[in-house]
Amino acid sequence: MNAILVIGRILFAFIFVTSGIAHFAKLEAMTGYAQYKKLPAAKLGVMISGLFFLLGGIYIAAGFWVDLGALLLAITLILAAVIFHNFWKETDPTAKQNEMIAFNKDIALAGAALILFALIAWGTLTEFGPSLGNLAFFNF
């Protein structure tokens, strides 16, 4: 079961590590998008979110400070969903749908990060999820 958890952590973290790297590799382009979305101090915001994605992903994949990494990701994802993917402001149906998909993705990933944070921070998996007799879901 430990191998599955390690694989799961690496798979979950992969998107954040690559996104964090992209924030720095494409800093000017991402800053332009952040300015378009009217983010104050756009370049700083891109650098901070890139750092949070990169550190959060590395912490989770490596298995140290997983709770901190998950919290960094959750905060960044929730802010990104609200600031950058505000589908409720879009008037074009295609743009609205694309922003809604991105918003839902960010919120779902933030939820997964918060679950990971809670499981690590409180040190128990037994209180998470229903159980059927002696077979407890998520009981490692």
Side-chain angles (χ1 to χ4, degrees):
M1 193 60 75
N2 286 338
I4 293 172
L5 288 174
V6 170
I7 292 168
R9 282 196 338 256
I10 292 169
L11 292 175
F12 181 69
F14 181 76
I15 191 172
F16 302 110
V17 172
T18 58
S19 180
I21 292 169
H23 274 66
F24 293 103
K26 300 176 182 178
L27 183 60
E28 295 308 316
M30 290 199 168
T31 298
Y33 180 69
Q35 289 169 336
Y36 168 74
K37 288 293 192 169
K38 297 181 177 44
L39 180 70
K43 191 170 196 170
L44 181 62
V46 170
M47 291 171 29
I48 290 171
S49 62
L51 182 65
F52 280 16
F53 280 151
L54 188 58
L55 288 178
I58 289 170
Y59 290 166
I60 290 170
F64 62 90
W65 294 341
V66 173
D67 51 350
L68 175 61
L71 196 56
L72 290 173
L73 294 180
I75 290 167
T76 308
L77 286 162
I78 291 168
L79 289 173
V82 174
I83 293 169
F84 292 105
H85 305 301
N86 44 3
F87 64 90
W88 52 90
K89 290 185 177 180
E90 293 292 338
T91 55
D92 177 66
T94 302
K96 186 179 197 93
Q97 181 179 12
N98 288 336
E99 292 297 344
M100 184 181 283
I101 290 167
F103 178 88
N104 287 336
K105 175 205 53 117
D106 282 356
I107 293 299
L109 288 170
L114 287 174
I115 289 169
L116 186 56
F117 170 77
L119 293 176
I120 299 300
W122 283 280
T124 179
L125 298 175
T126 58
E127 295 177 13
F128 182 76
S131 62
L132 301 172
N134 291 335
L135 176 65
F137 300 136
F138 303 101
N139 187 6
F140 303 98

